[in-house]
Amino acid sequence: SGHPVNSLPARYKLHLLYISAPANCSDWLINICRRKKELKARTVWLGCPEKCEEKYPKNAIKNQKYNIFTFIPGVLYEQFKFFLNLYFLVVSCSQFVPALKIGYLYTYWAPLGFVLTVTVAREAVDEYRRYKRDKEMNSQLYSKIICTFFFLSPQNQRIPSDMDLFSINAYVYAQKPQLDIHSFEGTFTREDSDPAVHESLSIENTLWASTVVASGTVIGVVIYTGKETRSVMNTSNPKNKVGLLDLELNQLTKALFLALVALSVVMVTLQGFVGPWYRNLFRFLLLFSYIIPISLRVNLDMGKAAYGWMIMKDDNIPGTVVRTSTIPEELGRLVYLLTDKTGTLTQNEMIFKRLHLGTVSYGTDTMDEIQSHIINSYSQSSAPKVRKSVSSRIHEAVKAIALCHNVTPVYESRAGVSGETEYAEVDQDFSDENRAYQASSPDEVALVQWTESVGLTLVNRDLTSMQLKTPGGHILTYYILQIFPFTSESKRMGIIVRDESSGEITFYMKGADVAMSTIVQYNDWLEEECGNMAREGLRTLVVAKKSLTEEQYQDFESRYNQAKLSIHDRNLKVAAVVESLEREMELLCLTGVEDQLQADVRPTLEMLRNAGIKIWMLTGDKLETATCIAKSSHLVSRTQDIHIFRPVTTRGEAHLELNAFRRKHDCALVISGDSLEVCLKYYEHEFVELACQCPAVVCCRCSPTQKAHIVKLLQHHTGKRTCAIGDGGNDVSMIQAADCGIGIEGKEGKQASLAADFSITQFKHIGRLLMVHGRNSYKRSAALGQFVMHRGLIISTMQAVFSSVFYFASVPLYQGFLMVGYATIYTMFPVFSLVLDQDVKPEMALLYPELYKDLTKLLMVALTIRTWHWLMVVAEFLSLGCYVASLAFLNEYFDVAFITTVTFLWKVSAITVVSCLPLYILKYLKRKFSPPSYSKLTS
C-alpha cells in the first residue's frame, strides 16, 4: 500500500472509465429548494454494503442543459430575455385588442412563430445530440456502482469512479470529497488478521475517475461516485453561451426602439394630438414596428447553421465538430486565448537529450560513449572503484537513473487472453520487443528508455523489488525499501533500495534544481548548467544519492511509519522525517529531457500573436516544466525577459512582489497557482491589470477550478472575449467558463472534446478555425445584421411618407401578406446570400493574420459583395421569380396595368440610380483615400 500505482505489476493495473459533471438546468432549482448535502468523511466496508448507512450519488454522466420539464420554459426564457423577441411578443399580443388591431393576426404572429419554431428545433437537435453522447458514454460506464463495490477493471477501459487498490475483507476510512486532486488522506484497517493491520493511505493508493493506466487489471473498492468524484467536483455546470454580436444587436434594437418611439411621437404631434391620441400613438408604434426586424434572429440563426456546416466540411481541418451552433462569430472576436500545456501544446512524449556530470556533458550525438563506458564497467569483475574517474561517475549516474523512478515494465500477453498475464510473469523471457513501460509521468519513461539504450535495462518490478539487466545479460536485483513520490510541494522524488548482492542500502533522489540545490553537497556548476538547459527548452532533473548504514535505515523506518499513521498533519510529519535524510547528498548528474511539441505549434502561436490575440498558458505542471515549454513553443520569444513571480503567502509579500513586477516592462509572467490565489485575494484588480499588459502569461500548478476562475477574471476585468482550449477532463471547467471553448480529442480521452463548443483533432487547426472561419463568420453576420435592419428601415420610411401625405393617418401602406412577404421571401435570398461572401481567400487570411483585427463597415449588398458566388446570382433570380409569381397569384394586391407600362420601369430605374449612385461614389472615394487592409492583397 505504500507504493505508486504504476510500480504495480501488470496483473494489478487497471484502466479508467469516463466521468463528467452531471449538470442541467434543474440543478440550481434543486439547490434553491433544498439545502445542499453536506459532504462528510466516510468509512467504507469492503464487501459489506449493508454496514453503510449513507446514500451516495448515482455514477452517471449528464451533460444536458435541460430535462423534459425545463426544456420549453428554458428555451423560451433564453429567447425572450432578448429585447428583440420580447418586443415582438408584446406587439403580437397587442393584436388581440380590437382598437389596436392592424390587418390580420398572422402579420405579426407568423414571423414570431417561425422564429420560435426554428430556435426550439435547433436547441432540440443540440440537446438530443448531448443526450446521445451521454447515453453512449453511460452504456460503457458502470452507472449503478456504489461505494463498497468491488470492481475488476480490464485493460483499455476507463475507471468509473474514485477507487482504492484493495480487495480483502476490511474497511477504509476516507476523507470527505474535496476539490484537491493532488492529495488524499485515509487509513486502511484489516480486522480478520492477527494482529490487526493498520496502513496509511495517500494519493499513491488512489485511482481518480478519468485517469488512465494502460495495462493489466485491478481489483479496487469504490470510495467516491458520481458528482462526488474529483473530476466532477472540479467541473462547473454548463451555461448557455451568448455571442457578443447577439448582445450588440440586442443593444442596437433598443436604440431602434427609441427611434421608433420618437418617430411615432413626431407623427402624433404633427397630427395635433386630436381625438384618442394615445391610441394613435400605439398604432403608429405598430405600423413602424418593422424598424425592428423580427426576421433578424432567423437570418442570423440560419447563418450560424451555415457557418457550422462550412467548418465541419472544411477538408483542411478534418474531424472538426461544431457542438454549439449559436456562437461561431465568437471565433472572430477573440482577444485572449487560454491554453492547457500537456497534450494541447505538447504531445506528452519525452526524449532524453542531455546528461551533464559537472566536468563533461553528453548530447544525443555522444550517447555511444556512455554506452561503451557502461559496457566496460559491467564487464569487469567488480564495479570500478577509482574515485572521480569518468567511467565510474557515468556508471553511478546511469544506475541511479535506472533505479530512481516509479516505472513498471509491462509484458503484454500476445494471445490477448486476460488470464494469461499472471502466468506470463512466472517465466518472463524479458524480450525487448515485447516490453513496454508504464509510469505516471512520461518524463520517467523517457529516462528509463534512455538507460535501456545505453545498456542498463529495467526488466521487472513489483511492490518489493526491481531487476536490471546489464549489457552482458546478467540480472541485478534491488529490493525496494521505501518510495517517496513526487509532490508539488517537495518538487522531488526518492527511493531507498538494497542491493541483493552486496546488501548496501542507498538512498537515491531526483528533482527540480530549486529543490535539490540545497540538498546536495556544494558545487559550482549546477545552477549555471540548469540555466543553459532551460534556455534550450529542456526539462531538467538533478540526480543525487546517499549511502545508509543498517542502523541509520532502521531508525528512519520506525520514525517514518509512525508519521504515516497520523491522521492530523500527516503530510507535514512525513515530510519532516524524510527531510532528516536529505542532507549533504552526493550530486551525481543533471539530466535534460525534451517534451515533443504538437505539430506546427510554433507557427500557430506566432500567427495568433500577429492576429492580436494574447495567449495565456494554464497548466497543472510544475513551474520549471511550464517555463521550458513556454520557451520551446515560442510562447515567450528567446529575446523576451521572463519574470518568475516568487512564492507568496501573505498580503505583505504579495504587495512587495507586485511592486517588483510593476517595474518590469514587456516581459512574460510566470506565476504558481498558490501565489496567484494570494494575489487575487488581496490585490485582484491590480494583479489582473498588470498581467493583461504582459505579452504572455504562464500559470503553473493550477487546479481545474483556478483555470475557470482566471477565465472569469479576464471576462470581468477586461470585457474582452476569451477562448479556452484543452484536451483533458481537468480543462472542462475552463472550457465551459470561456466565451468560446475548444476541445482537442487526445490521449486523455473525449471529456474536453464533448464539453467544448468546438472540437478539433490538432492544436494547429485552431489557426484556420479562427483566421478563416471565425473572421468570415463575424464579417458575414455583421453584414447580414446591417442589411436586415436596413431592409426594415426602408419599409418604415415608406410608411412614414405615406402617413404624412394622408394627413398623418395611422393606416398601413401595404396589406398584411405583402408586409410578411417583404420581410421573408421577396428579400430573404439575396440578403441571406451574404453568408457566402469573402473579402480575401483563406490562404491570404492565414498568410496575413493581421486581417483578423479588421472589420470593414458595410453599405449595401450589391456594392459590398467582394466575391460573387454562383449561389448569390441564383438568390437574386429566386427573389425576382417570387415577385413575378406574386403578380400572378396575388393580383388583387398589385396594379398590374401600371407595372407593365414604361413609366413604371423608368421611375423604378431612376429611384434605384438616385439611391445607389451617392453610396457608390462614397464607397469609391473611401476605397481611394482610405482603402481597407485587404485591398492590397486582392489587387
Side-chain angles (χ1 to χ4, degrees), residues 267-493:
M267 298 300 287
V268 173
T269 304
L270 293 173
Q271 198 180 40
F273 291 99
V274 294
W277 63 268
Y278 53 86
R279 189 175 66 186
N280 290 335
L281 175 64
F282 206 97
R283 285 177 64 86
F284 275 122
L285 286 173
L286 296 174
L287 286 172
F288 297 142
S289 62
Y290 278 88
I291 287 178
I292 303 174
I294 183 65
S295 58
L296 178 60
R297 296 288 305 172
V298 179
N299 279 277
L300 287 177
D301 285 350
M302 292 173 67
K304 293 173 195 288
Y307 307 145
W309 184 84
M310 291 175 190
I311 290 171
M312 290 193 285
K313 292 297 180 183
D314 190 342
D315 294 333
N316 293 292
I317 46 174
T320 301
V321 179
V322 178
R323 301 199 189 280
T324 304
S325 58
T326 56
I327 55 170
E329 299 92 356
E330 292 296 277
L331 294 171
R333 310 198 65 174
L334 302 176
V335 178
Y336 290 97
L337 175 69
L338 300 101
T339 175
D340 179 39
K341 178 188 71 69
T342 307
T344 303
L345 296 180
T346 68
Q347 299 179 24
N348 209 16
E349 292 179 3
M350 311 297 171
I351 296 177
F352 191 95
K353 288 285 187 180
R354 185 73 49 90
L355 179 72
H356 205 293
L357 299 174
T359 55
V360 61
S361 175
Y362 296 93
T364 51
D365 52 344
T366 53
M367 292 300 175
D368 54 335
E369 293 183 30
I370 296 177
Q371 189 172 7
S372 63
H373 281 300
I374 294 297
I375 292 172
N376 291 336
S377 64
Y378 279 108
S379 62
Q380 299 171 15
S381 57
S382 62
K385 300 292 183 184
V386 183
R387 182 170 175 78
K388 297 289 184 182
S389 75
V390 173
S391 183
S392 67
R393 287 164 62 194
I394 290 174
H395 171 259
E396 283 297 327
V398 173
K399 184 170 75 170
I401 295 170
L403 289 171
C404 186
H405 52 73
N406 60 11
V407 181
T408 303
V410 176
Y411 299 87
E412 297 297 346
S413 173
R414 297 177 190 273
V417 180
S418 60
E420 292 183 7
T421 308
E422 295 187 25
Y423 300 107
E425 292 186 4
V426 176
D427 53 350
Q428 201 66 261
D429 61 357
F430 303 129
S431 58
D432 292 341
E433 65 275 3
N434 195 33
R435 184 190 309 112
Y437 294 114
Q438 297 296 337
S440 60
S441 168
D443 299 63
E444 301 274 71
V445 174
L447 292 171
V448 173
Q449 285 176 336
W450 175 77
T451 62
E452 179 184 357
S453 71
V454 296
L456 196 58
T457 307
L458 176 68
V459 292
N460 191 28
R461 179 172 185 155
D462 56 30
L463 289 170
T464 57
S465 68
M466 68 175 89
Q467 294 179 317
L468 304 180
K469 185 170 71 173
T470 67
H474 299 293
I475 301 297
L476 305 175
T477 300
Y478 294 86
Y479 296 112
I480 301 171
L481 303 180
Q482 299 290 347
I483 287 184
F484 315 112
F486 178 90
T487 66
S488 57
E489 292 79 22
S490 68
K491 294 183 171 56
R492 56 191 181 269
M493 72 89 61

Side-chain angles (χ1 to χ4, degrees), residues 688-705:
V688 176
E689 185 181 6
L690 286 172
C692 288
Q693 296 171 5
C694 296
V697 177
V698 177
C699 298
C700 55
R701 304 309 297 180
C702 273
S703 69
T705 311

Side-chain angles (χ1 to χ4, degrees), residues 42-54 56 145-151 161-162 166 168 170-172 220-225:
R42 60 196 60 189
T43 300
V44 178
W45 290 85
L46 278 66
C48 304
E50 67 276 0
K51 292 186 179 182
C52 183
E53 298 177 357
E54 285 282 331
Y56 299 112
I145 274 184
I146 57 171
C147 292
T148 80
F149 189 89
F150 282 104
F151 182 74
S161 47
D162 295 346
F166 290 105
I168 52 177
Y171 69 85
V172 172
V221 58
V222 175
I223 302 297
Y224 308 118
T225 56

Side-chain angles (χ1 to χ4, degrees), residues 857-898:
K857 298 300 179 186
L858 309 176
L859 296 171
M860 185 178 170
V861 178
L863 304 181
T864 303
I865 298 297
R866 270 84 45 149
T867 307
W868 279 89
H869 194 283
W870 66 271
L871 284 174
M872 293 180 175
V873 180
V874 170
E876 297 284 348
F877 281 106
L878 267 176
S879 184
L880 181 61
C882 291
Y883 181 73
V884 172
S886 298
L887 296 179
F889 294 106
L890 303 171
N891 51 11
E892 69 273 14
Y893 290 111
F894 297 95
D895 186 353
V896 180
F898 175 65

Side-chain angles (χ1 to χ4, degrees), residues 60-121:
I61 292 170
K62 197 165 187 182
N63 279 315
Q64 294 161 251
K65 294 180 182 177
Y66 309 102
N67 59 34
I68 193 169
F69 302 108
T70 60
F71 177 72
I72 294 297
V75 172
L76 291 180
Y77 168 75
E78 289 297 325
Q79 290 306 304
F80 289 123
K81 74 179 182 182
F82 285 102
F83 179 80
L84 176 70
N85 292 344
L86 183 62
Y87 168 75
F88 260 91
L89 177 65
V90 173
V91 168
S92 300
C93 290
S94 72
Q95 294 304 287
F96 291 111
V97 181
L100 302 176
K101 188 174 181 182
I102 298 176
Y104 298 102
L105 281 175
Y106 65 74
T107 307
Y108 294 96
W109 279 103
L112 182 63
F114 181 66
V115 169
L116 293 178
T117 301
V118 169
T119 303
V120 170

